[in-house]
Amino acid sequence: LPAAVLLKDTKLMDVKLGQLGSWLAMRDFTPGGILGAVRRGYDRYYNKYINVRKGGLGGISMVLAGYVVLSYVWSYSHVKHDRRRKYH
């Protein structure tokens, strides 16, 4: 039998939908906790895609795709008004 894992130590992908509220309540939303989560995420991304022996364009292309999506979201209000505008 596998050992029971505490809900606090469970990864987000392993949390059931009914447990999501209590799992979120156990997270650390202080500035230090958020900074630590961002740092852990960056370290995981860097070690998985950038700091590899035989690297490719996968990690850098994901960053570029994220930048494209983020810049579109930032400029969406301007793009929304230009959709139906007629240029002559």
Side-chain angles (χ1 to χ4, degrees):
L1 292 170
V5 178
L6 295 174
L7 184 60
K8 180 179 144 187
D9 300 330
T10 308
K11 294 180 183 177
L12 177 60
M13 293 296 292
D14 298 332
V15 173
K16 304 283 190 258
L17 194 56
Q19 299 172 332
L20 188 61
S22 57
W23 183 83
L24 281 173
M26 292 182 193
R27 300 293 101 192
D28 184 12
F29 289 108
T30 62
I34 293 172
L35 185 63
V38 169
R39 186 175 295 137
R40 284 191 308 274
Y42 172 78
D43 289 342
R44 177 181 284 168
Y45 173 81
Y46 182 80
N47 288 325
K48 186 171 183 179
Y49 294 108
I50 306 298
N51 190 20
V52 291
R53 200 169 279 199
K54 292 177 101 177
L57 294 176
I60 296 172
S61 63
M62 279 194 290
V63 170
L64 184 62
Y67 171 73
V68 167
V69 169
L70 194 62
S71 66
Y72 181 76
V73 167
W74 282 336
S75 64
Y76 180 74
S77 63
H78 179 70
V79 171
K80 182 174 69 170
H81 293 298
D82 287 345
R83 273 191 298 200
R84 298 190 183 161
R85 188 174 293 165
K86 221 176 183 180
Y87 295 100
H88 7 39

